[in-house]
Amino acid sequence: ASVKKVRGQAGAGLEMLRAAGLEANRATLAAFSTSLQEVNKQWDDFHRAYDSWRNPTTDATREAITAELKDLNSKFSGIVTQSRALPQNALLRPLSEMVIAAAEKEQLGLARLQESWRLYDSTAWRAFVQEQQTAEKSRRQIRGAFTDLLAKYNLTVRDVGQ
């Protein structure tokens, strides 16, 4: 009877540890979800601002375009900074690194655009659009990978507050 009692106590102890680990992971995943949501919001806002600026109603001078690109690059650096601030624990490091890599790649594309654009030459613009599309594909993959990670813990995006 005592072996049965010890097994029962051990099982209850393991269940408590599992529940505590699940709650800790849930809190970690919720914090990541909130941070990722903010990064994505800023990123989407940036794309809307860029698209709006890219389709101006008036012709701009070379100096004005250069200044605007510099300003856009500066604004995008905030997204990179936010990406680097995502949780980096073992559970989330791969996702965080994917977000950082996508943000840094798009920022590099924007810097290249700022350095290499020429009036009446769309080559640099097309290259930046390609960088944006690549980053957007990465962002979709990150959302899917995060959903998969949540599923490992029998959680949904709604469970962690996104």
Side-chain angles (χ1 to χ4, degrees):
S2 67
V3 170
K4 202 178 214 180
K5 183 179 178 181
V6 169
R7 281 187 185 159
Q9 289 173 340
L14 286 173
E15 181 57 31
M16 286 174 52
L17 285 173
R18 188 196 70 73
L22 180 59
E23 283 307 309
N25 284 336
R26 181 186 304 257
T28 299
L29 291 167
F32 181 83
S33 178
T34 299
S35 296
L36 182 60
Q37 201 172 22
E38 182 58 30
V39 168
N40 282 328
K41 180 190 177 310
Q42 295 298 321
W43 211 326
D44 291 341
D45 290 348
F46 173 83
H47 283 170
R48 279 190 290 280
Y50 173 81
D51 290 344
S52 171
W53 171 79
R54 180 71 175 102
N55 297 309
T57 56
T58 61
D59 289 332
T61 65
R62 177 170 176 67
E63 293 77 22
I65 292 172
T66 302
E68 283 292 323
L69 285 170
K70 184 176 181 179
D71 185 51
L72 286 167
N73 199 348
S74 176
K75 288 177 183 174
F76 198 85
S77 69
I79 295 166
V80 174
T81 300
Q82 281 184 301
S83 298
R84 290 178 182 150
L86 287 168
Q88 292 286 324
N89 66 16
L91 181 66
L92 297 165
R93 187 172 298 114
L95 289 176
S96 294
E97 288 176 356
M98 287 173 66
V99 175
I100 294 165
E104 288 176 343
K105 186 167 177 60
E106 187 166 337
Q107 184 180 38
L108 180 61
L110 187 57
R112 286 182 182 147
L113 174 61
Q114 180 184 338
E115 293 167 4
S116 64
W117 80 274
R118 300 292 176 260
L119 242 81
Y120 311 113
D121 181 3
S122 63
T123 305
W125 299 101
R126 284 194 312 265
F128 180 61
V129 167
Q130 183 63 43
E131 294 291 351
Q132 283 184 307
Q133 290 170 345
T134 300
E136 188 56 36
K137 181 179 177 183
S138 294
R139 291 173 67 200
R140 285 191 305 272
Q141 291 171 339
I142 292 161
R143 284 189 287 273
F146 185 56
T147 301
D148 292 346
L149 179 61
L150 292 172
K152 285 176 66 174
Y153 292 94
N154 295 320
L155 299 169
T156 66
V157 174
R158 185 175 289 179
D159 294 331
V160 293
Q162 193 174 36

